[in-house]
Amino acid sequence: MIDSYVYVIIALLPLSAFILLFQVNPYHALVIRGILGAVAALVYGVLGASDVALTEALVGTILAMILYIVAVRSSLVMRLGILAERERDKESYLAELIASVRKIINRYHLRLELVEYPNVEALEQALIAQEIHATCTKSELLEPEKDSKPYETTFRVRRLFEIMETELNLGTTTINYRSIPPSPP
Amino acid sequence: MNWIIIAMILALLIPIYEAWQDENIWQKMLAFASISTKTSIIMLVISVTRDDWYIGVVAAIILSVGNGGLMLLANLLKRIEKYD
C-alpha cells in the first residue's frame, strides 16, 4: 500500500517543472533546472528506484548543468569591436554609448563583450571574418559639424541592428547595417 | 510518522515558492541549495521509516556530493557579475 505522502511528493515534480517552463531568463532557468533535478531525485527515491535517483542527482543534474552552462555562456553574448585607444582619446561618449548598449541587450539576456583591435583595418577584417558582431568607430569627418554624430556603429547581425535601431536613442552614434555573406566552408 | 514527512514537505514548499517569486538570482541559488538539502533529508527520513537502507545510502550520497552543480553555477554567475 502506498502512503498518502507519496502523492504529495509526486505532485512536487510537475509543480517544479511548470516553474521551469515559465522562466524567461536563461540563468534563472538553469537554477530552476537544478531544483527540478533535486525534486526528481526525491521522487525516484521515494518510489523505490534508488539507482535512478542517484543517477539523476549526480549525472543528470551536474552533467546537464555543465552542458547548459557551456551553451549559455558561448551563445548569449554580443561581441563589440572597438579601437584600442590611448588614455587621452577616451571620451565619456564611448563609455556612455557602451553603457546604454549594455542596458539594452541586458533586457534580451545577452552579455556584452568588448574586443579591442589596434586599428580600423583589423576591426573591418574581424567584422568580415565574423569574429565580432558589431564595430564601433569614430566617424571619419575631420571637421565635426554641430549636429553630426561622433561615433559610427556597424552591425552585421540583422536582429541586433533592428533592436538597436529602435531602442538606442543616443545623439552620439549613427547605426548602420552591413550584410556580410557567409564565409565559405 | 506520516505527519513528520508531511510537515517536511510543507517546509520544502517554502523555498520552492521563494525560487519562483524572487527575481534576484542569488536568492534563487539560496532556494536551490535549501531544496537540494531538504529533499535529501526527506529521503533519509523515509528510508528510516521504511527501514530501507538502500534508499538511505543513496540519500547520504546525494546529500554529500550532489551539490556540484550548485558550485559550478555559482562560479559562472560570479564571473558574469564581474563582466557587467
Side-chain angles (χ1 to χ4, degrees):
Chain A
M1 128 137 220
I2 298 177
D3 298 310
S4 56
Y5 62 80
V6 173
Y7 296 110
V8 185
I9 290 178
I10 293 174
L12 291 175
L13 191 59
L15 177 73
S16 50
F18 267 110
I19 296 175
L20 173 60
L21 272 183
F22 290 112
Q23 295 301 312
V24 181
N25 190 323
Y27 299 104
H28 292 187
L30 268 176
V31 179
I32 307 289
R33 172 67 181 79
I35 292 173
L36 178 67
V39 172
L42 172 68
V43 171
Y44 299 151
V46 166
L47 291 179
S50 309
D51 47 349
V52 184
L54 190 61
T55 313
E56 170 65 35
L58 299 182
V59 181
T61 307
I62 297 177
L63 195 70
M65 204 157 272
I66 291 174
L67 293 179
Y68 286 141
I69 283 172
V70 170
V72 167
R73 261 191 73 81
S74 55
S75 61
L76 287 168
V77 62
M78 170 183 153
R79 292 163 67 86
L80 178 66
I82 54 173
L83 288 175
E85 287 177 299
R86 293 179 295 277
E87 276 306 308
R88 64 175 176 83
D89 287 340
K90 282 207 171 156
E91 292 168 41
S92 60
Y93 286 144
L94 189 61
E96 187 195 356
L97 176 64
I98 287 169
S100 48
V101 166
R102 179 166 281 157
K103 208 169 131 201
I104 289 167
I105 64 170
N106 270 354
R107 242 177 281 150
Y108 293 88
H109 313 295
L110 294 168
R111 259 179 332 118
L112 183 68
E113 203 177 297
L114 295 176
V115 190
E116 293 198 338
Y117 287 93
N119 50 37
V120 180
E121 288 76 36
L123 206 59
E124 285 291 303
Q125 206 55 48
L127 190 70
I128 290 167
Q130 306 194 351
E131 283 172 22
I132 50 179
H133 299 121
T135 60
C136 184
T137 51
K138 270 205 170 133
S139 297
E140 280 157 18
L141 289 174
L142 287 177
E143 277 251 334
E145 292 146 35
K146 208 164 206 179
D147 56 344
S148 75
K149 302 178 169 181
Y151 284 95
E152 199 172 339
T153 311
T154 309
F155 288 88
R156 72 165 172 81
V157 182
R158 182 95 213 166
R159 178 72 185 128
L160 281 176
F161 168 69
E162 284 167 5
I163 289 171
M164 289 299 159
E165 197 183 28
T166 51
E167 298 193 24
L168 190 68
N169 299 316
L170 276 183
T172 52
T173 182
T174 53
I175 299 170
N176 306 318
Y177 171 68
R178 203 165 118 195
S179 86
I180 286 170
S183 54
Chain B
M1 286 298 274
N2 271 9
W3 62 272
I4 295 181
I5 296 169
I6 294 289
M8 291 178 91
I9 295 168
L10 287 181
L12 179 61
L13 284 175
I14 300 170
I16 289 181
Y17 176 78
E18 176 71 16
W20 174 41
Q21 279 294 309
D22 210 307
E23 281 301 307
N24 187 346
I25 185 86
W26 294 107
Q27 294 288 331
K28 274 191 201 291
M29 294 289 287
L30 282 176
F32 174 30
S34 175
I35 288 169
S36 62
T37 312
K38 280 195 175 85
T39 50
S40 319
I41 297 290
I42 291 175
M43 270 175 87
L44 271 175
V45 171
I46 288 172
S47 77
V48 171
T49 56
R50 288 188 188 170
D51 200 18
D52 183 351
W53 288 106
Y54 192 34
I55 297 179
V57 169
V58 169
I61 293 174
I62 292 175
L63 183 63
S64 52
V65 295
N67 273 342
L70 184 81
M71 194 185 64
L72 286 169
L73 200 54
N75 267 312
L76 164 85
L77 293 173
K78 202 175 71 187
R79 288 270 290 278
I80 285 174
E81 298 221 328
K82 222 185 281 175
Y83 267 117
D84 287 340

